[in-house]
Amino acid sequence: MQPLFTYFGFRFVKVEGMEQVNLDDFTGCVLYSELEETGHIETSNPDVNRLFLNAMWGQKGNFLDVPTDCPQRDERMGWTGDAQIFASTACYNMYSPAFYQKYMRDLREEQIQLNGSVPFVVPTIKPKGEQNMFAMNGSAAWGDAATVIPWTLYMHYGDKELLRQQFDTMKDWVDHIKRLDDESGGSRLWKVGFHFADWLALDAKDPSILTGGTDSYYIASAYYCYSAQLVAKAARVLGYEAIAEEYDSLVGEIKAAIVAEYFSANGRSAIPTQTAMIVALYMDLVPESFRPRLIEDLKLKLRDDDLHLNTGFVGTPYFCPVLSENGANELAYELLLNDDYPSWLYAVKMGATTIWERWNSVLPDGSISDTGMNSLNHYAYGSIAEWMYRYMCGITPLENSPGFKHFELKPKPFGRLSSAKASFQSASGLIKSEWTIEKNGSLTFEFTIPFNTTANITLPDADLQMVQLNGQPLSKGKQDGTAVTITFGAGHYVFTYMPTKMYLLMYSTNDTVRELLQNEDTKEVLLDVLPEINENPMILKQVLKKTVKELQESPFVSHLVTEEKVKELDEQLGRVLIQV
């Protein structure tokens, strides 16, 4: 029995009324738009591999004519926020230009009726004689599907004509925001209307508040700036130089207003949430001089939050990219590999086969969370797969050569994984990127570059004199700081070298007290040298989140943590390999 006019998202089926049930008599039919799978990722960690597959299956379960939020409850609607958040991941996973072109055509038809605004849901659901949120429009991040999706498609497929078709959609959305801004005083901030903000973030003071703890008008103003940047970029690509300059000027005004309203003179964010700092860094909202302070503050905030995210639909997709892009790649891996709540792998450990809507859709005891609105197939947080392609495996398109005609191969390994590989059938051909941290500590990178393309390759922590290519000394290349860079055309390349820093991870006094106490070997070392920290429960609670080196500044134990003891601990901890 197969229905023709509806479909159901499910994982389990209950069968009743049959005396004998034979599993072989039942076949589950997978139904989704006919999209070719183009990407795959595999690592040394089975849970990460399952997470990637969950994102892929979430896409399959929701890409049926329109990109729906979930396939299994009373919605199955084309929520614009989910669609733009996941767009780049979708383009890595599957060949998506026609699918998104159709969705953007639907969006444009709705937008024309709304004088530039964009509905929460496309196509809009308008129950007769009823006004509800499904028929509303104009939220930041959701409406920004009008700019983010066209630019994402251009970056992935390099189709300038498709960008031209969607340019009016992009421009009209920013013009709509600017009109609201002008009508409310022209502050160059977006401070009117309802916004979903950092939807389902965990940092709201009241857990029942679904929009998170980051000021909704800050997020709205950030997207105002970001979308204006995308319009300027698109205009320049299409040769509309006057429009590009107009929107560049608007971007400058918005940035100045955001900095004046939400940042101190020294670059401290007035909104001390993870998402506030992530958005500022990702969307380039602040002067270059503010960035070091913001990055350090974000790292401190993450440490205060036990190295766990508490972000929602806005902050989560950008979190790991921001960390990897700004010298904190190891923290991006920490977030990826956390397996307790809240984290991506918590759901995997709980048996998830798709991405959940909430970080705690299922509770540790296996019961369904009583949060009310709850979906077990909601692909938005599956956007972590984009970070896997772009940063873990390093396959990145370039703005000056979209569609992967010329691209970057800049993988960022970390010792919590021993290997990772990605294959991607790009618009220009099959790209492969693979790395392995060998047992002797050396690095191996294996790349495939397709016909009629070129790639800028970056080998991290490499000495040019030590790099071998296909078993021979590398005859060309450039030492660029701690990395080696080289550009190659089509071919298959294998690089091997001993890195200038250790990728096999050993414990050290840069690890937290909590991390050292969780391993029997390091626990023995720590308590042998500093037994006092475990003797008083109050003191232990105060120092758990701190690294051993940070204990030197703690008023509770600084008198115990001498330079000699730190040196002794480093020597002994450095003999213990972190197992992966």
Side-chain angles (χ1 to χ4, degrees):
M1 182 174 70
Q2 187 171 347
L4 299 178
F5 299 106
T6 189
Y7 66 95
F8 302 93
F10 64 92
R11 180 176 175 187
F12 302 105
V13 174
K14 183 178 181 180
V15 178
E16 295 179 309
M18 297 178 66
E19 292 183 4
Q20 188 173 4
V21 176
N22 183 354
L23 282 178
D24 293 335
D25 293 336
F26 298 87
T27 301
C29 297
V30 180
L31 184 66
Y32 57 94
S33 292
E34 189 175 359
L35 302 173
E36 176 192 355
E37 287 188 36
T38 51
H40 184 74
I41 286 173
E42 186 177 338
T43 76
S44 57
N45 186 311
D47 290 338
V48 174
N49 299 341
R50 180 68 255 180
L51 174 63
F52 171 77
L53 292 176
N54 288 0
M56 179 70 81
W57 275 105
Q59 183 171 350
K60 290 180 178 179
N62 283 289
F63 273 39
L64 183 56
D65 191 55
V66 297
T68 59
D69 60 330
C70 55
Q72 77 290 338
R73 64 183 190 204
D74 61 346
E75 287 192 43
R76 293 184 276 189
M77 299 178 191
W79 284 90
T80 47
D82 306 58
Q84 70 91 356
I85 288 163
F86 194 74
S88 187
T89 299
C91 292
Y92 276 111
N93 281 345
M94 294 180 166
Y95 188 67
S96 304
F99 180 83
Y100 271 120
Q101 182 182 23
K102 185 266 181 190
Y103 183 66
M104 290 306 298
R105 189 177 296 133
D106 291 345
L107 186 150
R108 179 59 176 168
E109 290 301 316
E110 300 283 2
Q111 185 187 40
I112 289 171
Q113 306 300 316
L114 296 170
N115 196 27
S117 187
V118 173
F120 299 166
V121 172
V122 172
T124 301
I125 306 299
K126 299 177 181 178
K128 185 176 181 181
E130 183 180 344
Q131 177 66 24
N132 60 33
M133 67 184 303
F134 302 132
M136 296 173 68
N137 64 84
S139 169
W142 274 244
D144 293 280
T147 55
V148 173
I149 293 175
W151 185 252
T152 299
L153 294 177
Y154 176 67
M155 289 297 296
H156 274 270
Y157 303 111
D159 189 338
K160 191 181 293 188
E161 185 54 36
L162 187 58
L163 184 67
R164 192 184 310 277
Q165 291 173 19
Q166 298 170 354
F167 182 73
D168 287 345
T169 302
M170 301 176 72
K171 183 175 180 296
D172 286 357
W173 168 243
V174 176
D175 289 348
H176 164 74
I177 304 170
K178 183 175 181 293
R179 189 160 53 248
L180 294 176
D181 170 18
D182 289 338
E183 290 171 356
S184 58
S187 65
R188 290 301 171 258
L189 298 171
W190 190 2
K191 305 196 76 170
V192 295
F194 167 80
H195 302 281
F196 288 102
D198 195 19
W199 187 245
L200 300 184
L202 301 173
D203 56 356
K205 291 181 180 179
D206 180 352
S208 67
I209 294 175
L210 302 179
T211 50
T214 305
D215 186 329
S216 65
Y217 290 143
Y218 168 80
I219 290 175
S221 299
Y223 269 99
Y224 182 12
C225 185
Y226 186 50
S227 279
Q229 292 175 47
L230 296 182
V231 170
K233 287 180 178 181
R236 193 156 279 117
V237 166
L238 297 172
Y240 307 150
E241 193 60 37
I243 295 177
E245 291 178 3
E246 175 189 349
Y247 283 82
D248 280 342
S249 177
L250 177 61
V251 167
E253 294 172 12
I254 300 169
K255 284 186 179 182
I258 288 174
V259 168
E261 180 75 8
Y262 295 109
F263 293 89
S264 74
N266 293 321
R268 179 176 58 83
S269 173
I271 305 172
T273 65
Q274 292 178 1
T275 291
M277 290 180 268
I278 292 164
V279 165
L281 291 164
Y282 185 86
M283 298 184 178
D284 193 26
L285 303 181
V286 296
E288 191 65 30
S289 61
F290 283 17
R291 293 183 70 88
R293 166 72 185 269
L294 265 181
I295 294 161
E296 288 306 310
D297 286 352
L298 177 58
K299 290 159 67 174
L300 287 172
K301 173 63 177 167
L302 191 51
R303 178 64 57 80
D304 287 343
D305 293 329
D306 288 337
L307 292 178
H308 282 69
L309 47 69
N310 55 33
T311 48
F313 276 38
V314 167
T316 300
Y318 306 139
F319 207 158
C320 287
V322 160
L323 292 172
S324 292
E325 197 69 52
N326 290 281
N329 189 53
E330 72 284 357
L331 294 179
Y333 276 90
E334 291 290 338
L335 293 183
L336 172 71
L337 296 171
N338 284 338
D339 61 9
D340 56 340
Y341 169 79
S343 69
W344 283 283
L345 295 189
Y346 167 75
V348 172
K349 291 292 189 182
M350 293 302 297
T353 56
T354 47
I355 301 295
W356 295 347
E357 180 176 23
R358 294 174 179 264
W359 295 115
N360 62 339
S361 287
V362 178
L363 301 178
D365 64 4
S367 62
I368 298 295
S369 171
D370 63 357
T371 48
M373 184 187 69
N374 196 355
S375 162
L376 301 183
N377 188 354
H378 219 91
Y379 58 72
Y381 290 151
S383 54
I384 184 61
E386 181 189 5
W387 175 85
M388 296 182 196
Y389 285 109
R390 282 181 181 258
Y391 293 93
M392 184 173 75
C393 296
I395 302 174
T396 306
L398 296 172
E399 285 190 11
N400 62 3
S401 186
F404 294 91
K405 294 296 290 182
H406 181 63
F407 57 95
E408 269 194 336
L409 286 169
K410 192 177 181 180
K412 293 179 179 288
F414 183 62
R416 291 282 303 279
L417 295 179
S418 60
S419 66
K421 60 182 177 180
S423 62
F424 172 50
Q425 188 69 46
S426 75
S428 298
L430 180 63
I431 301 169
K432 290 185 178 182
S433 174
E434 179 176 355
W435 55 261
T436 303
I437 302 174
E438 308 291 354
K439 290 183 178 180
N440 67 352
S442 65
L443 294 180
T444 299
F445 293 92
E446 193 166 346
F447 302 120
T448 298
I449 301 171
F451 174 74
N452 202 29
T453 69
T454 54
N456 294 336
I457 296 172
T458 299
L459 303 174
D461 301 299
D463 180 343
L464 182 59
Q465 305 303 316
M466 301 295 292
V467 178
Q468 289 202 329
L469 169 60
N470 298 335
Q472 301 296 322
L474 182 63
S475 59
K476 60 179 181 177
K478 177 184 177 184
Q479 190 71 50
D480 188 2
T482 61
V484 166
T485 58
I486 190 167
T487 299
F488 277 125
H492 182 77
Y493 306 95
V494 179
F495 297 89
T496 56
Y497 60 93
M498 188 63 69
T500 54
K501 79 170 188 181
M502 184 174 285
Y503 275 76
L504 291 174
L505 296 184
M506 304 292 184
Y507 287 96
S508 73
T509 54
N510 290 317
D511 293 308
T512 64
V513 172
R514 171 177 287 166
E515 290 166 339
L516 296 177
L517 291 176
Q518 288 173 340
N519 177 284
E520 288 302 318
D521 293 332
T522 55
K523 178 180 179 180
E524 182 179 346
V525 170
L526 178 65
L527 297 185
D528 182 56
V529 178
L530 293 172
E532 299 88 351
I533 67 172
N534 203 37
E535 293 172 355
N536 186 320
M538 184 192 76
I539 290 179
L540 181 60
K541 185 176 181 181
Q542 296 299 320
V543 302
L544 269 177
K545 299 180 185 179
K546 295 184 178 298
T547 67
V548 174
K549 284 185 177 178
E550 289 172 342
L551 297 185
Q552 292 180 294
E553 300 177 2
S554 167
F556 298 98
V557 293
S558 59
H559 60 290
L560 302 171
V561 190
T562 63
E563 283 293 338
E564 291 76 16
K565 288 187 176 181
V566 170
K567 185 176 180 180
E568 181 183 354
L569 279 169
D570 262 328
E571 185 176 331
Q572 294 190 45
L573 292 171
R575 300 177 188 140
V576 183
L577 178 68
I578 296 177
Q579 299 297 324
V580 297

